[in-house]
């Protein structure tokens, strides 16, 4: 779920100096694009820049990456320190565009930024994008950053080996970069041979290659056998650039163009804010298409892979993207509304003795949706009560009824910014017990029901070891934990590193229910059938893990989850309520990718991954299935 920010300046630096009073327009806008997508990456940041038309001997590619505690600030501190030195020693040079462009890094026209949302691998500089593939031929240089996971990295790795390369590791980022780089080399050689046969000298050929690079062809060849979800951004050394989205539209990408800039980001709202533009002017990059930006500034959107069924990730709408996007805000409100009926039924519509709240902050908009639904339901109750009073009702009686309102409070306060569902296993238990504090004095002892809405419940670790025991100190009669997302039952192999079945509390509940009902044969049969498909081509593999859940209703699994999560020290009754898949589809009609809930994977590699994850679970192998 990393974030991408691409920016191409279409005007020379002196234009921005004259219009905006600064030659650092590009750097400033890139900073804004990254900061407004900070939710997509707290673990590392990287920035790269390319200068167009640099002369031989001049540096034209700049890159800096950081994994500090505040990586965005650290990155731009590094970039700006050279300019602060100029301001101190020779301030006139800060407005000398020719000097800046010829002598200072990050003063080119093409920018690529990346926010790393670490899910796998160590949080090291080597894991940070953009990656750089260097060459003395300008058109063979490649800078690459992406938001992606591929399910068939081993196959891609073997291809690179088969053509004689020696990749330094199996990571999908390196593998993808080397494959694009390979076909970039092939394209360079094709053009070299073509123009050499026409009698051009080597200097002339370099310029002709730069002018005629066929990025569409390079990407079509490189991505022919990719299986996964991705938004890939790249820059060649000559200044040509591309942003490429997977054919199912799993990973998000948006772009904007005017007379001054071309911009691409993982989130539409970031572009709107950074460039003060309207919702309608920011376009969604089509699935299977690449936005091509030539070094001349020409922009085109071209098909790389024929579009498949669009299955954009629904978890983007529930959790990862900022709620400031117009559509996402409305969708999260609706998620809260859609799950509210089950909540109101659970509290028997007793709004006077129910307190609504939320955890964590990403669930705030869904909470508003649930509270709005509570107001609507309560309005009907008030109307019925007033009608029941009859014509003789006094103003005091009516006022007493009218004064009733849903009780909404800020109960759980997160003290530390900790993504517990992807924190390393060996450190999670120590941390989760200290993540939240609570507000005292708003719950009536042993009388109130406390309803806490969360955006999703993955492992349930934070609930079990922190939230439930902490809010139980408030002495509620009952605690209802509500998930605005359905039960997460299957691994995600396209972005979020929810990779191990044994981590999912819904899976644990289903396994426990099978054992409770003497149906352990189902577990053994699923294991046998998963093993039988290990060597099949991924296109022929089916998801056998669905059968683990089939004997039980969603409600039965939710009841078992509550049982698994409730510690003996928790005195209040605990109930877990999940969003239905139908409620999700209604709230997020345009993001239909819900494989982690439903098991309906958008690519064949997903079925192979889920079966492998089940095999790993049975065999006690504690590693990713891809």
């Amino acid at each position: 779920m990393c974030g991408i920010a691409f920016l191409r300046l279409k005007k020379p630096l002196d234009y921005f100096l004259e219009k905006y009073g600064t030659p650092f327009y590009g750097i400033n806008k890139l900073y804004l694009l990254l900061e407004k997508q900070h939710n997509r990456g707290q673990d590392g940041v990287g920035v790269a820049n390319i200068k167009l038309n640099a002369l031989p001997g001049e540096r034209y590619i700049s890159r800096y990456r950081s994994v500090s505690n505040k990586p965005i600030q650290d990155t731009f501190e590094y970039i700006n320190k050279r300019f602060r030195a100029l301001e101190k020693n020779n301030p006139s040079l800060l407005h000398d565009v020719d000097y800046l462009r010829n002598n200072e890094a990050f003063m080119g026209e093409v920018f690529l930024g990346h926010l790393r949302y670490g899910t796998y691998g160590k949080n090291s500089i080597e894991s940070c994008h953009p990656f750089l593939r260097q060459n003395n031929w300008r058109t063979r240089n490649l800078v690459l950053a992406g938001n992606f996971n591929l399910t068939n990295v081993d196959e891609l790795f073997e291809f690179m080996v088969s053509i004689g390369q020696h990749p330094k590791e199996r990571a999908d980022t390196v593998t993808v970069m080397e494959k694009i780089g390979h076909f970039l080399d092939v394209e360079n050689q094709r053009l070299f041979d073509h123009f050499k046969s026409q009698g051009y000298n080597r200097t002339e050929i370099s310029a002709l290659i730069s002018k005629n690079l066929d990025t569409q062809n390079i990407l079509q060849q490189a991505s022919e056998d990719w299986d996964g979800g991705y938004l890939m951004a790249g820059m060649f050394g000559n200044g040509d650039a591309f942003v490429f989205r997977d054919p199912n539209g799993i990973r998000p990408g948006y772009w904007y163009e005017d007379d001054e800039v071309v911009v691409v980001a993982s989130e539409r709202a970031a572009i709107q804010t950074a460039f003060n533009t309207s919702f309608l002017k920011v376009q969604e990059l089509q699935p299977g298409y690449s936005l091509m930006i030539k070094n001349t500034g020409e922009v085109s959107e071209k098909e790389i892979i024929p579009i498949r069924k669009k299955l954009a990730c629904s978890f983007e709408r529930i959790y990862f993207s900022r709620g400031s996007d117009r559509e996402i805000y409305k969708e999260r409100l609706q998620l809260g509304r859609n799950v509210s009926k089950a909540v109101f039924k659970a509290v028997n519509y007793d709004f006077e003795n129910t307190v609504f709240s939320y955890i964590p902050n990403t669930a705030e908009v869904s909470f508003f949706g649930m509270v709005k639904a509570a107001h609507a339901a309560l309005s009907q109750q008030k109307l019925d009560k007033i009608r029941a009073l009859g014509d003789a009702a006094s103003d005091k009686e009516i006022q007493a009824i009218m004064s009733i309102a849903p009780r909404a409070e800020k109960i759980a306060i997160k003290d530390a910014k900790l993504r517990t569902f992807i924190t390393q296993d060996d450190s999670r238990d120590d941390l989760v017990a200290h993540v939240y504090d609570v507000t005292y004095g708003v719950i009536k002892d042993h009388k109130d029901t406390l309803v806490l809405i969360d955006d999703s419940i993955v492992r349930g670790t934070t609930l079990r070891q922190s939230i439930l025991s902490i809010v139980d100190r408030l002495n509620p009669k009952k605690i209802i934990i509500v998930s605005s997302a359905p039960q997460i039952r299957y691994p995600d192999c396209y972005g979020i590193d929810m990779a191990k079945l044994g981590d999912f509390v819904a899976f644990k509940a289903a396994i426990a229910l099978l054992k409770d009902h003497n149906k352990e044969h189902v577990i053994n049969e699923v294991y046998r059938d998963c093993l039988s498909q290990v060597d099949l081509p991924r296109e022929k593999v089916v998801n056998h893990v669905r059968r683990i859940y089939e004997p039980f209703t969603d409600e039965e699994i939710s009841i078992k989850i509550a049982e698994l999560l409730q510690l003996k020290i928790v005195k209040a009754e605990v109930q877990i309520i999940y969003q239905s898949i139908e409620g999700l589809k209604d709230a997020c009609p345009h993001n239909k990718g819900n494989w982690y809930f439903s098991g309906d994977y958008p690519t064949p590699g997903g079925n192979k991954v889920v079966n492998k994850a089940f095999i790993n679970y049975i065999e006690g192998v504690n590693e990713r299935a891809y």
Side-chain angles (χ1 to χ4, degrees), residues 30 53 101 112 124 126 138 151 156 165 195 208 283 312 339 374 434 484-485 549 559:
L30 185 70
N53 306 315
R101 196 179 186 286
L112 179 57
S124 64
E126 288 73 23
R138 186 161 179 156
T151 69
L156 301 177
Q165 289 195 12
F195 290 118
L208 288 166
Q283 302 181 60
V339 77
H434 304 286
S484 70
Y549 300 96
I559 291 170

Side-chain angles (χ1 to χ4, degrees), residues 11 30 109 134 144 169 220 252 267 269 289 309 335 344 360 378 395 449 496 500 542 544 574 579 582 585 588:
K11 301 287 188 181
L30 185 70
E109 297 85 350
Q134 294 181 289
L144 187 74
E169 55 182 292
Q220 284 174 337
E267 297 195 31
Y289 276 68
K309 183 179 180 181
L335 285 168
F344 302 158
L378 190 53
D395 289 349
T449 294
I496 321 163
K500 303 170 189 174
V542 297
H544 286 297
V574 175
Q579 181 78 255
E582 291 71 25
K585 290 178 178 178
C588 307

Side-chain angles (χ1 to χ4, degrees), residues 471-489:
V471 299
D472 190 57
R473 298 173 192 170
L474 304 176
N475 296 321
K477 179 182 71 174
K478 183 177 182 180
I479 302 168
I480 299 178
I481 303 296
V482 184
S483 172
S484 70
Q487 295 169 3
I488 295 173
R489 298 180 169 190

Side-chain angles (χ1 to χ4, degrees), residues 206-223:
S206 290
L208 288 166
I209 290 175
S210 179
K211 183 179 180 180
N212 291 280
L213 271 180
D214 188 345
T215 305
Q216 183 180 22
N217 183 51
I218 293 168
L219 294 177
Q220 284 174 337
Q221 293 183 82
S223 64

Side-chain angles (χ1 to χ4, degrees), residues 259 323 510:
D259 292 339

